[in-house]
Amino acid sequence: MNKLYSIAAVALVVASCAVQEDKTPIAERSEAFEFGQLMIQDSINKLDTAAESLDLLLNGSPLDNHVSLLINNNSKCNVIVRFAGDTTYNVPVRRKFRNFVVLEKGNYTVTSNLCSTRYAVRKTLMDSSTLTLSESE
């Protein structure tokens, strides 16, 4: 009978060691899921957005109501760049890559989780421009 308890105890220990707990914080998992969803949506609209962005860059005038913004992500993490103003935009940018967005002119609070660093800045966007995100060394 003691032998049976010993075998059961060993089996219990082995079984409990086999269970791997996901230690990724819920917020990170949630943002990773949202990033994937935004990438799917972004790929669907990419041709239209690319044409509009290129048109703004080449033919833009001060009378246009929109600007084109190129976002360079020089970090080792996928990021979602969030623009909050009169209109909100969430732009996914893969690590070591770039993406672009067409925004209405105006004032925005721009936020992102850049790897383990929180990025936040107020920007007035009145002309097409570039935003570069990099990790501090």
Side-chain angles (χ1 to χ4, degrees):
M1 192 60 132
N2 284 340
K3 193 173 188 180
L4 184 59
Y5 287 124
S6 298
I7 292 172
V10 169
L12 183 62
V13 169
V14 170
S16 66
C17 291
V19 175
Q20 299 263 335
E21 186 178 332
D22 184 3
K23 296 185 180 183
T24 306
I26 292 172
E28 286 181 30
R29 281 186 271 157
S30 175
E31 187 149 317
F33 177 78
E34 182 183 3
F35 179 84
Q37 296 298 315
L38 287 170
M39 285 300 292
I40 291 168
Q41 186 178 18
D42 187 61
S43 67
I44 293 168
N45 301 324
K46 186 54 77 187
L47 289 177
D48 293 336
T49 306
E52 187 177 2
S53 180
L54 192 57
D55 185 52
L56 283 168
L57 288 172
L58 297 176
N59 304 319
S61 78
L63 301 177
D64 285 329
N65 199 25
H66 293 87
V67 296
S68 175
L69 182 65
L70 175 67
I71 304 168
N72 292 309
N73 179 6
N74 293 339
S75 78
K76 62 183 179 197
C77 303
N78 294 329
V79 298
I80 300 171
V81 183
R82 301 173 192 280
F83 295 87
D86 289 340
T87 306
T88 59
Y89 304 88
N90 295 325
V91 184
V93 187
R94 292 183 307 175
R95 65 178 171 252
K96 303 290 184 190
F97 209 71
R98 66 196 135 335
N99 200 352
F100 51 88
V101 63
V102 175
L103 306 166
E104 291 182 24
K105 289 181 179 179
N107 297 310
Y108 293 93
T109 300
V110 183
T111 59
S112 184
N113 288 325
L114 189 60
C115 299
S116 61
T117 305
R118 181 91 174 130
Y119 173 80
V121 67
R122 292 271 308 145
K123 289 222 177 255
T124 300
L125 299 173
M126 299 307 284
D127 295 309
S128 295
S129 61
T130 301
L131 173 66
T132 301
L133 301 172
S134 299
E135 298 171 89
S136 58
E137 302 276 330

